[in-house]
Every structure is written in structure tokens, then in C-alpha cells.
Amino acid sequence: GKIAHGGFLASIADTGMGNAAHRAAEGKQCVTISLEMKFISAAKPGDNLVAKVKVQKKTRTLVFLTCEIINSQGVVAVTSGVWKILKP
């Protein structure tokens, strides 16, 4: 059957985590420097996907985050990443 492409899921995680990093950095621009994703189960076209993002730690120059993408059946993917806070 048809399943959602892994790159699509990575884009969801990267977007959600990037927005959370930007907020954690008090509005400063941030860029992804590391993104690791583990695919747990398949998502199908039409699934309602929810990304649950959590800031694990923020330093002066970095934000460490995790993201869990879920559908109605459970966990689809888990992601961890690091964002660099850019100087103004």
C-alpha cells in the first residue's frame, strides 16, 4: 500500500523543531546543524499526523530538541536535533 515518504516526515519534524528553537532563542534566527530520525511505523496518505516537540536544553548558542510524530495508531517517528542560534 501507499505510505508517506520519509523525507516528508523529516520535513514535518524539522519545521516543528525549528519553530520551537526560534521561540526558545527569544526570536533569534536558528539553523539546523543536526537531525536524526528513527522511523517506527508507516504513515499513510490521509493520516492525521501530530508532531510533539520538546526543548530538551538551551545553551547560549545551541538548542537541543526532540520530536515525536504520531498518528491515530501510535508513534510513526522519533527525531532529535540540534539548532545553532545565530548571532544578530
Side-chain angles (χ1 to χ4, degrees), residues 10-87:
S11 179
I12 291 171
D14 187 53
T15 301
M17 295 164 78
N19 282 321
H22 177 69
R23 288 184 186 149
E26 291 93 36
K28 293 180 184 148
Q29 188 176 12
C30 299
V31 294
T32 310
I33 60 172
S34 172
L35 190 71
E36 179 187 15
M37 184 165 235
K38 293 179 174 64
F39 300 100
I40 308 300
S41 64
K44 296 181 180 75
D47 279 0
N48 183 32
L49 299 174
V50 176
K52 296 182 176 182
V53 177
K54 184 174 181 184
V55 175
Q56 298 295 332
K57 181 173 180 158
K58 178 191 168 289
T59 68
R60 189 175 53 80
T61 58
L62 299 173
V63 185
F64 299 82
L65 302 104
T66 56
C67 175
E68 188 177 73
I69 298 175
I70 61 170
N71 64 10
S72 60
Q73 284 77 48
V75 177
V76 174
V78 291
T79 310
S80 62
V82 181
W83 270 252
K84 171 79 173 167
I85 302 169
L86 300 179
K87 294 177 183 176

